[in-house]
Amino acid sequence: MGYDGKGQMRITSPADIAVAWDAIGRRPAILEGFVTFSHEFSILLARRGDGQMVSYPPPWNEHKDGVLARSTLPAPAEVAAHWGEAAALAGRIADQLNYVGVLACEFFASADGPVFNEMAPRVHNSGHWTIEGAVCSQFENHIRAICGLPLGDTGLTAPTVAMENLIGHDADRWAEILAEPGAHLHLYGKETRPGRKMGHVTRLGR
């Protein structure tokens, strides 16, 4: 139950342990060490049952209060330097699992190379930019992979792509966003709650 900043507590001294334990309801938990990194990024790949695989350029993921706030492409040099190694690792994970469909693997860009963070066996929020920002979206490639169809082009449709998550009352800006040239708005129809992803907007740049 630890995701999007929920069910997570930061422990910086022994005195924090009891508070953190109570805050998560004293449920089973995972203790994670701190990682020194410059950027977080995602490798999104689509794999067919016969092992054919394609992957998307990695977006740089920025978080606010533990929730993904923004994904941008092309990623900065700090991410690009780890792209090949991280994509190869994600591919090995998919092969070992004999995975079919879209798989998202998140990494930290560190001085020691890409550090694996977590994975999602599905289409992923950090890949929603592909709806307008890639020739073939992660959703379409997911279906193509499952159906054994040729996998689509993962290239960008514009020189720059930025996806902003609309969190909580950010979604109230929908009319303002619709008036913005080049902005593509997606609302999820959820009940508004603080910290909840209510939708996203993708902006394509020249």
Side-chain angles (χ1 to χ4, degrees):
M1 299 306 293
Y3 68 97
D4 284 352
K6 305 175 182 69
Q8 301 169 338
M9 295 293 293
R10 180 170 295 188
I11 297 172
T12 57
S13 72
D16 297 334
I17 295 174
V19 175
W21 184 234
D22 288 339
I24 64 171
R26 300 187 170 223
R27 294 190 294 269
I30 298 170
L31 179 65
E32 299 179 320
F34 287 105
V35 176
T36 301
F37 64 97
S38 62
H39 298 74
E40 187 195 280
F41 64 97
S42 299
I43 298 293
L44 296 122
L45 61 83
R47 183 182 184 276
R48 299 193 330 180
D50 63 1
Q52 182 184 348
M53 198 179 317
V54 295
S55 65
Y56 291 89
W60 169 30
N61 299 326
E62 300 173 85
H63 290 73
K64 181 180 179 181
D65 298 326
V67 184
L68 177 62
R70 187 177 180 86
S71 294
T72 55
L73 298 103
E78 294 88 344
V79 171
H82 300 291
W83 181 359
E85 186 177 351
L89 175 56
R92 291 201 299 274
I93 292 171
D95 282 338
Q96 288 294 313
L97 294 174
N98 196 25
Y99 187 83
V100 177
V102 167
L103 175 70
C105 295
E106 295 182 351
F107 292 87
F108 297 128
S110 80
D112 298 321
V115 177
F116 176 74
N117 177 27
E118 65 180 25
M119 69 178 179
R122 53 176 170 78
V123 294
H124 192 252
N125 185 214
S126 68
H128 286 355
W129 61 269
T130 64
I131 297 171
E132 291 87 18
V135 177
C136 185
S137 77
Q138 64 168 347
F139 297 95
E140 181 175 337
N141 261 332
H142 185 65
I143 299 302
R144 288 185 181 215
I146 291 170
C147 294
L149 298 171
L151 297 175
D153 187 347
T154 58
L156 302 183
T157 59
T160 63
V161 180
M163 184 209 68
E164 174 194 356
N165 272 325
L166 302 176
I167 300 168
H169 286 285
D170 285 347
D172 296 345
R173 297 164 36 218
W174 62 269
E176 170 192 337
I177 293 167
L178 287 176
E180 181 184 335
H184 301 270
L185 177 67
H186 299 263
L187 296 176
Y188 305 154
K190 297 178 179 178
E191 179 184 349
T192 303
R193 295 178 193 166
R196 191 179 199 186
K197 294 171 185 167
M198 306 302 300
H200 71 271
V201 56
T202 301
R203 298 176 174 90
L204 306 182
R206 296 185 178 181

